[in-house]
Amino acid sequence: MIPKPLMGKVLILWGMLLIGQFLLAAAVMYQNMKAGFGFVETALTMPPLLFAFSLVLFVVSWLQYRSKR
């Protein structure tokens, strides 16, 4: 098991990574929609999907961290 103070620092770094992934996903979606692709086609490209899966994993890890009190 990871000690709680270390896990808190890992979650902070992971949150910063999520911000970067969100910006990349938003830029890719904007470029694809500007090129004429629909929203669904754009949302199913790799960067938005990676952001969504990373966000889900982050939330699960954060909930586990919160329950360790």
mmCIF file of all heavy atoms in Angstrom, residues 33-54:
data_model
loop_
_atom_site.group_PDB
_atom_site.id
_atom_site.type_symbol
_atom_site.label_atom_id
_atom_site.label_comp_id
_atom_site.label_asym_id
_atom_site.label_seq_id
_atom_site.Cartn_x
_atom_site.Cartn_y
_atom_site.Cartn_z
ATOM 1 N N MET A 33 -13.506 19.523 -35.303
ATOM 2 C CA MET A 33 -14.815 20.119 -35.596
ATOM 3 C C MET A 33 -14.673 21.265 -36.592
ATOM 4 O O MET A 33 -15.549 21.487 -37.423
ATOM 5 C CB MET A 33 -15.483 20.576 -34.309
ATOM 6 C CG MET A 33 -15.914 19.395 -33.443
ATOM 7 S SD MET A 33 -16.719 19.863 -31.932
ATOM 8 C CE MET A 33 -18.341 20.271 -32.551
ATOM 9 N N LYS A 34 -13.562 21.973 -36.527
ATOM 10 C CA LYS A 34 -13.308 23.041 -37.488
ATOM 11 C C LYS A 34 -13.102 22.467 -38.893
ATOM 12 O O LYS A 34 -13.441 23.106 -39.877
ATOM 13 C CB LYS A 34 -12.065 23.820 -37.051
ATOM 14 C CG LYS A 34 -11.891 25.144 -37.720
ATOM 15 C CD LYS A 34 -10.729 25.890 -37.089
ATOM 16 C CE LYS A 34 -10.490 27.188 -37.803
ATOM 17 N NZ LYS A 34 -9.351 27.924 -37.261
ATOM 18 N N ALA A 35 -12.575 21.223 -38.960
ATOM 19 C CA ALA A 35 -12.357 20.566 -40.251
ATOM 20 C C ALA A 35 -13.636 19.942 -40.807
ATOM 21 O O ALA A 35 -13.624 19.393 -41.904
ATOM 22 C CB ALA A 35 -11.275 19.500 -40.115
ATOM 23 N N GLY A 36 -14.739 19.984 -40.030
ATOM 24 C CA GLY A 36 -16.013 19.514 -40.547
ATOM 25 C C GLY A 36 -16.491 18.192 -39.991
ATOM 26 O O GLY A 36 -17.517 17.679 -40.425
ATOM 27 N N PHE A 37 -15.776 17.609 -39.059
ATOM 28 C CA PHE A 37 -16.232 16.366 -38.448
ATOM 29 C C PHE A 37 -17.322 16.670 -37.429
ATOM 30 O O PHE A 37 -17.353 17.726 -36.825
ATOM 31 C CB PHE A 37 -15.069 15.636 -37.754
ATOM 32 C CG PHE A 37 -14.031 15.120 -38.697
ATOM 33 C CD1 PHE A 37 -12.828 15.799 -38.859
ATOM 34 C CD2 PHE A 37 -14.249 13.968 -39.431
ATOM 35 C CE1 PHE A 37 -11.871 15.333 -39.729
ATOM 36 C CE2 PHE A 37 -13.296 13.494 -40.295
ATOM 37 C CZ PHE A 37 -12.102 14.175 -40.451
ATOM 38 N N GLY A 38 -18.197 15.703 -37.202
ATOM 39 C CA GLY A 38 -19.259 15.868 -36.215
ATOM 40 C C GLY A 38 -18.728 15.710 -34.799
ATOM 41 O O GLY A 38 -17.613 15.252 -34.573
ATOM 42 N N PHE A 39 -19.576 16.069 -33.826
ATOM 43 C CA PHE A 39 -19.160 16.015 -32.432
ATOM 44 C C PHE A 39 -18.854 14.590 -31.987
ATOM 45 O O PHE A 39 -17.870 14.341 -31.292
ATOM 46 C CB PHE A 39 -20.238 16.626 -31.532
ATOM 47 C CG PHE A 39 -19.889 16.571 -30.076
ATOM 48 C CD1 PHE A 39 -18.968 17.462 -29.552
ATOM 49 C CD2 PHE A 39 -20.448 15.622 -29.247
ATOM 50 C CE1 PHE A 39 -18.618 17.418 -28.218
ATOM 51 C CE2 PHE A 39 -20.110 15.564 -27.910
ATOM 52 C CZ PHE A 39 -19.186 16.469 -27.388
ATOM 53 N N VAL A 40 -19.698 13.624 -32.377
ATOM 54 C CA VAL A 40 -19.492 12.233 -31.951
ATOM 55 C C VAL A 40 -18.205 11.675 -32.537
ATOM 56 O O VAL A 40 -17.427 11.030 -31.836
ATOM 57 C CB VAL A 40 -20.708 11.366 -32.343
ATOM 58 C CG1 VAL A 40 -20.449 9.902 -32.045
ATOM 59 C CG2 VAL A 40 -21.945 11.847 -31.624
ATOM 60 N N GLU A 41 -17.974 11.929 -33.823
ATOM 61 C CA GLU A 41 -16.731 11.465 -34.447
ATOM 62 C C GLU A 41 -15.516 12.084 -33.759
ATOM 63 O O GLU A 41 -14.497 11.439 -33.551
ATOM 64 C CB GLU A 41 -16.705 11.826 -35.932
ATOM 65 C CG GLU A 41 -17.747 11.123 -36.761
ATOM 66 C CD GLU A 41 -17.835 11.717 -38.153
ATOM 67 O OE1 GLU A 41 -17.656 12.942 -38.293
ATOM 68 O OE2 GLU A 41 -18.065 10.949 -39.098
ATOM 69 N N THR A 42 -15.644 13.351 -33.416
ATOM 70 C CA THR A 42 -14.552 14.068 -32.763
ATOM 71 C C THR A 42 -14.326 13.558 -31.349
ATOM 72 O O THR A 42 -13.187 13.384 -30.917
ATOM 73 C CB THR A 42 -14.869 15.568 -32.735
ATOM 74 O OG1 THR A 42 -15.028 16.031 -34.076
ATOM 75 C CG2 THR A 42 -13.772 16.353 -32.079
ATOM 76 N N ALA A 43 -15.395 13.292 -30.621
ATOM 77 C CA ALA A 43 -15.270 12.844 -29.228
ATOM 78 C C ALA A 43 -14.707 11.433 -29.126
ATOM 79 O O ALA A 43 -14.172 11.055 -28.091
ATOM 80 C CB ALA A 43 -16.621 12.914 -28.544
ATOM 81 N N LEU A 44 -14.806 10.661 -30.194
ATOM 82 C CA LEU A 44 -14.309 9.288 -30.169
ATOM 83 C C LEU A 44 -12.877 9.156 -30.673
ATOM 84 O O LEU A 44 -12.414 8.048 -30.906
ATOM 85 C CB LEU A 44 -15.247 8.373 -30.967
ATOM 86 C CG LEU A 44 -16.641 8.210 -30.358
ATOM 87 C CD1 LEU A 44 -17.512 7.347 -31.255
ATOM 88 C CD2 LEU A 44 -16.566 7.643 -28.966
ATOM 89 N N THR A 45 -12.166 10.267 -30.840
ATOM 90 C CA THR A 45 -10.751 10.183 -31.190
ATOM 91 C C THR A 45 -9.947 9.876 -29.930
ATOM 92 O O THR A 45 -10.463 9.928 -28.815
ATOM 93 C CB THR A 45 -10.256 11.488 -31.846
ATOM 94 O OG1 THR A 45 -10.470 12.559 -30.935
ATOM 95 C CG2 THR A 45 -10.966 11.765 -33.163
ATOM 96 N N MET A 46 -8.672 9.560 -30.099
ATOM 97 C CA MET A 46 -7.873 9.070 -28.979
ATOM 98 C C MET A 46 -7.696 10.061 -27.813
ATOM 99 O O MET A 46 -7.914 9.676 -26.662
ATOM 100 C CB MET A 46 -6.508 8.613 -29.491
ATOM 101 C CG MET A 46 -5.732 7.827 -28.475
ATOM 102 S SD MET A 46 -6.564 6.370 -27.831
ATOM 103 C CE MET A 46 -6.541 5.278 -29.205
ATOM 104 N N PRO A 47 -7.301 11.333 -28.017
ATOM 105 C CA PRO A 47 -7.086 12.211 -26.850
ATOM 106 C C PRO A 47 -8.309 12.400 -25.952
ATOM 107 O O PRO A 47 -8.170 12.300 -24.730
ATOM 108 C CB PRO A 47 -6.616 13.528 -27.471
ATOM 109 C CG PRO A 47 -5.976 13.120 -28.756
ATOM 110 C CD PRO A 47 -6.811 11.964 -29.252
ATOM 111 N N PRO A 48 -9.514 12.626 -26.492
ATOM 112 C CA PRO A 48 -10.664 12.750 -25.579
ATOM 113 C C PRO A 48 -10.968 11.454 -24.821
ATOM 114 O O PRO A 48 -11.332 11.483 -23.649
ATOM 115 C CB PRO A 48 -11.820 13.133 -26.496
ATOM 116 C CG PRO A 48 -11.176 13.780 -27.667
ATOM 117 C CD PRO A 48 -9.890 13.043 -27.853
ATOM 118 N N LEU A 49 -10.790 10.307 -25.475
ATOM 119 C CA LEU A 49 -11.033 9.039 -24.786
ATOM 120 C C LEU A 49 -10.000 8.803 -23.689
ATOM 121 O O LEU A 49 -10.342 8.350 -22.598
ATOM 122 C CB LEU A 49 -11.008 7.880 -25.786
ATOM 123 C CG LEU A 49 -12.192 7.801 -26.733
ATOM 124 C CD1 LEU A 49 -12.011 6.657 -27.714
ATOM 125 C CD2 LEU A 49 -13.487 7.642 -25.969
ATOM 126 N N LEU A 50 -8.738 9.113 -23.971
ATOM 127 C CA LEU A 50 -7.702 8.964 -22.942
ATOM 128 C C LEU A 50 -7.986 9.878 -21.751
ATOM 129 O O LEU A 50 -7.802 9.482 -20.600
ATOM 130 C CB LEU A 50 -6.327 9.277 -23.518
ATOM 131 C CG LEU A 50 -5.708 8.206 -24.403
ATOM 132 C CD1 LEU A 50 -4.388 8.695 -24.980
ATOM 133 C CD2 LEU A 50 -5.497 6.932 -23.626
ATOM 134 N N PHE A 51 -8.417 11.093 -22.028
ATOM 135 C CA PHE A 51 -8.760 12.012 -20.941
ATOM 136 C C PHE A 51 -9.904 11.447 -20.102
ATOM 137 O O PHE A 51 -9.854 11.472 -18.873
ATOM 138 C CB PHE A 51 -9.126 13.395 -21.481
ATOM 139 C CG PHE A 51 -9.696 14.295 -20.424
ATOM 140 C CD1 PHE A 51 -8.890 14.787 -19.415
ATOM 141 C CD2 PHE A 51 -11.033 14.623 -20.427
ATOM 142 C CE1 PHE A 51 -9.418 15.603 -18.421
ATOM 143 C CE2 PHE A 51 -11.567 15.433 -19.442
ATOM 144 C CZ PHE A 51 -10.748 15.932 -18.436
ATOM 145 N N ALA A 52 -10.916 10.919 -20.759
ATOM 146 C CA ALA A 52 -12.073 10.384 -20.031
ATOM 147 C C ALA A 52 -11.670 9.200 -19.149
ATOM 148 O O ALA A 52 -12.055 9.129 -17.975
ATOM 149 C CB ALA A 52 -13.162 9.971 -21.014
ATOM 150 N N PHE A 53 -10.879 8.272 -19.688
ATOM 151 C CA PHE A 53 -10.451 7.122 -18.900
ATOM 152 C C PHE A 53 -9.533 7.551 -17.758
ATOM 153 O O PHE A 53 -9.629 7.032 -16.647
ATOM 154 C CB PHE A 53 -9.761 6.080 -19.774
ATOM 155 C CG PHE A 53 -10.690 5.376 -20.724
ATOM 156 C CD1 PHE A 53 -10.345 5.183 -22.043
ATOM 157 C CD2 PHE A 53 -11.932 4.907 -20.302
ATOM 158 C CE1 PHE A 53 -11.206 4.540 -22.926
ATOM 159 C CE2 PHE A 53 -12.796 4.266 -21.169
ATOM 160 C CZ PHE A 53 -12.429 4.077 -22.485
ATOM 161 N N SER A 54 -8.649 8.496 -18.009
ATOM 162 C CA SER A 54 -7.765 8.989 -16.955
ATOM 163 C C SER A 54 -8.564 9.673 -15.855
ATOM 164 O O SER A 54 -8.255 9.525 -14.669
ATOM 165 C CB SER A 54 -6.739 9.967 -17.521
ATOM 166 O OG SER A 54 -5.863 9.321 -18.395
#
